[in-house]
Amino acid sequence: MDNRPIGIFDSGVGGLTVTSRVINELPCEKIVYFGDTARVPYGSKSKKTVTKFAMQDVRFLLSKNVKAVVIACNTVSSNSIEDLKKEFDIPIFGVVEPGAKQAANVTKNTNVGVIATAGTIRSGAYERAIKQFNSNISVYSKACPLFVPLAEEGWWNDKITYLTAQKYISGLIDKKIDTIVLGCTHYPLLRKCIEETVGPDVSLVDPAYETAVALKKYLFKNNMLREGQCGGHEFYVSDITETFEKICFEALKQKYDAKLINIEEY
Amino acid sequence: MDNRPIGIFDSGVGGLTVTSRVINELPCEKIVYFGDTARVPYGSKSKKTVTKFAMQDVRFLLSKNVKAVVIACNTVSSNSIEDLKKEFDIPIFGVVEPGAKQAANVTKNTNVGVIATAGTIRSGAYERAIKQFNSNISVYSKACPLFVPLAEEGWWNDKITYLTAQKYISGLIDKKIDTIVLGCTHYPLLRKCIEETVGPDVSLVDPAYETAVALKKYLFKNNMLREGQCGGHEFYVSDITETFEKICFEALKQKYDAKLINIEEY
């Protein structure tokens, strides 16, 4: 057994949807969450900048004595996971590989859609990862930059969100996809709208859930599960904003206070 | 005369619309522009974080030997201008005061609308500034978080942008405003949509233009205009992204290359 906490970080608050999945799968673990709300979003920034920020994020979590790190950010998972694994001697889990694996398992007609931020799409990480599991799969990708602000605005069921989804996703539907990957941690907040836009014949893959399952298997296999008392989660941000509270409650159905840290010191 | 350049900074690329206005009004001046594209946006962040970032931005411009600084960012102008003026011994121009003054001059029925980012609206800076010019004016404010990503997506004439504008602005129209302040530097890119949404009886105030005029008057009065050769503008960013190129060309009708700097060193 290993009673140290699990570290989870994201560019901001989107990673709280991943945290929710991890807590569901591993209810006895303690979580230390960091959201880089001062520098959010990462999705529109370059690989070099994203990797630099991610290094600081992991260093902060290590200062909290975590036993494993979950990159609850598709942009970092896509662009920087190899650099992070080289730099740090700790198990590091990204969301891309588990999501890609599930997409490859689920598709029947080998046409898979991926929706994500510009940075994730530009990296080509989902496409590469899905093709590693099955090279016959055709991957169709689409960056959806408005989905994050729409989710943060709380317009989850608004006509504008449905029209935006239609505009972004119609090209993927034309390609006859039967599976779509929600390649950004905010997108589960728009799940209903995305589900209705793609229709009942397209399966949704949520990499957050797949990552939580992969983490659980790893901790079990390596005898690293926590024993004893549950909970005591800690939340840290680099800037105090209203959005943390709103999304935290939506994702975790519970109010948590976040502590402020200066991430540039790490 | 004073041949040193004028420094202009913004959280990202929106300040290029202000730069365009300054170049139009002062075609013989040299501009040094900094866009903090690694940490954009500021509009959703706290006053403390915004002020810290803005201090670094000004320190960078001072390292380029500028004679005056234009804060081409409504969020910084609203939250941090007093702190910046205390810290630095150089003329500093924000966009809020000139915009507020013009709104107070233009309104006939004393009902003024202000649209801006969440950070600018929360600061109450436009409301305070407009009331300083005329305390009888009623100011109605509305944060429009989707306008920046819509402008950056290039959906300037899209139905989604019109519906979003309708949703944000209808409450202001109900208040019988006859003047509306474009309180974010991205919004001039959506000018046509905003104009059509508010209708022909509402005057649009663009603080970028008013700021350029105020700067011109100041430099003239203090004998600080540049003489000799024009142009030679320099553009710096904290992250290289495609958006700079797209918005730069849209705002300045010319291609410029931006140099990368590490703003955290300042």
Side-chain angles (χ1 to χ4, degrees), chain A residues 46-158:
Chain A
S46 70
K47 179 179 169 135
K48 193 178 158 188
T49 293
V50 168
T51 303
K52 179 183 141 187
F53 289 174
M55 294 273 182
Q56 293 176 313
D57 301 342
V58 174
R59 265 182 231 119
F60 166 72
L61 290 175
L62 290 176
S63 79
K64 296 288 167 189
N65 192 30
V66 297
K67 62 184 167 191
V69 167
V70 177
I71 308 170
C73 173
N74 282 273
T75 306
V76 175
S77 299
S78 300
N79 286 283
S80 319
I81 191 167
E82 293 311 320
D83 290 329
L84 294 175
K85 282 183 173 175
K86 262 181 231 156
E87 181 77 12
F88 302 106
D89 186 25
I90 189 171
I92 295 182
F93 293 81
V95 284
V96 170
E97 202 188 296
K101 189 175 178 185
Q102 179 67 2
N105 283 341
V106 163
T107 182
K108 292 195 173 72
N109 74 359
T110 67
N111 292 325
V112 172
V114 176
I115 52 174
T117 64
T120 300
I121 296 300
R122 199 170 43 234
S123 75
Y126 270 105
E127 186 159 356
R128 277 195 306 280
I130 291 170
K131 281 175 178 293
Q132 266 173 11
F133 291 110
N134 179 350
S135 60
N136 293 323
I137 292 175
S138 301
V139 180
Y140 303 99
S141 301
K142 180 69 185 166
C144 308
L146 279 167
F147 275 179
V148 169
L150 282 167
E152 294 200 344
E153 191 70 327
W155 294 1
W156 300 314
N157 300 311
D158 195 281

Side-chain angles (χ1 to χ4, degrees), chain A:
Chain A
M1 73 171 196
D2 186 337
N3 279 352
R4 290 176 298 165
I6 296 166
I8 303 181
F9 77 95
D10 179 43
S11 58
V13 297
L16 293 166
T17 65
V18 181
T19 305
S20 152
R21 295 298 203 176
V22 171
I23 292 174
N24 280 346
E25 291 303 308
L26 292 159
C28 279
E29 296 294 325
K30 173 178 170 167
I31 309 294
V32 175
Y33 181 88
F34 172 65
D36 195 2
T37 47
R39 303 187 294 195
V40 72
Y42 288 1
S44 53
K45 288 156 196 173
S46 70
K47 179 179 169 135
K48 193 178 158 188
T49 293
V50 168
T51 303
K52 179 183 141 187
F53 289 174
M55 294 273 182
Q56 293 176 313
D57 301 342
V58 174
R59 265 182 231 119
F60 166 72
L61 290 175
L62 290 176
S63 79
K64 296 288 167 189
N65 192 30
V66 297
K67 62 184 167 191
V69 167
V70 177
I71 308 170
C73 173
N74 282 273
T75 306
V76 175
S77 299
S78 300
N79 286 283
S80 319
I81 191 167
E82 293 311 320
D83 290 329
L84 294 175
K85 282 183 173 175
K86 262 181 231 156
E87 181 77 12
F88 302 106
D89 186 25
I90 189 171
I92 295 182
F93 293 81
V95 284
V96 170
E97 202 188 296
K101 189 175 178 185
Q102 179 67 2
N105 283 341
V106 163
T107 182
K108 292 195 173 72
N109 74 359
T110 67
N111 292 325
V112 172
V114 176
I115 52 174
T117 64
T120 300
I121 296 300
R122 199 170 43 234
S123 75
Y126 270 105
E127 186 159 356
R128 277 195 306 280
I130 291 170
K131 281 175 178 293
Q132 266 173 11
F133 291 110
N134 179 350
S135 60
N136 293 323
I137 292 175
S138 301
V139 180
Y140 303 99
S141 301
K142 180 69 185 166
C144 308
L146 279 167
F147 275 179
V148 169
L150 282 167
E152 294 200 344
E153 191 70 327
W155 294 1
W156 300 314
N157 300 311
D158 195 281
K159 188 183 171 187
I160 290 168
T161 308
Y162 277 79
L163 280 172
T164 305
Q166 190 66 39
K167 193 171 166 99
Y168 281 139
I169 296 172
S170 61
L172 300 180
I173 296 169
D174 293 346
K175 298 291 183 186
K176 314 248 179 278
I177 57 164
D178 72 348
T179 303
I180 192 165
V181 179
L182 305 183
C184 169
T185 54
H186 275 77
Y187 295 1
L189 297 165
L190 304 177
R191 188 181 181 109
K192 185 167 163 280
C193 166
I194 295 168
E195 238 164 17
E196 289 178 19
T197 303
V198 295
D201 298 333
V202 176
S203 306
L204 263 66
V205 171
D206 178 1
Y209 172 72
E210 307 303 331
T211 304
V213 171
L215 173 67
K216 184 179 174 179
K217 280 183 191 165
Y218 178 90
L219 295 181
F220 180 76
K221 199 173 149 191
N222 290 279
N223 202 22
M224 285 172 72
L225 287 164
R226 182 185 181 88
E227 286 177 12
Q229 65 183 112
C230 304
H233 309 314
E234 294 174 21
F235 294 85
Y236 297 88
V237 290
S238 50
D239 188 27
I240 297 288
T241 64
E242 294 155 18
T243 319
F244 177 85
E245 228 169 277
K246 183 159 79 180
I247 304 295
C248 187
F249 194 79
E250 180 66 22
L252 302 179
K253 310 295 175 207
Q254 197 171 329
K255 196 180 168 309
Y256 286 101
D257 286 326
K259 287 187 201 119
L260 185 67
I261 62 144
N262 182 2
I263 191 63
E264 288 173 15
E265 285 174 5
Y266 290 88

Side-chain angles (χ1 to χ4, degrees), chain B residues 14-33:
Chain B
L16 292 166
T17 65
V18 181
T19 305
S20 152
R21 294 300 201 174
V22 171
I23 292 173
N24 280 347
E25 291 304 307
L26 293 158
C28 278
E29 296 294 325
K30 174 179 170 168
I31 309 294
V32 175
Y33 181 89

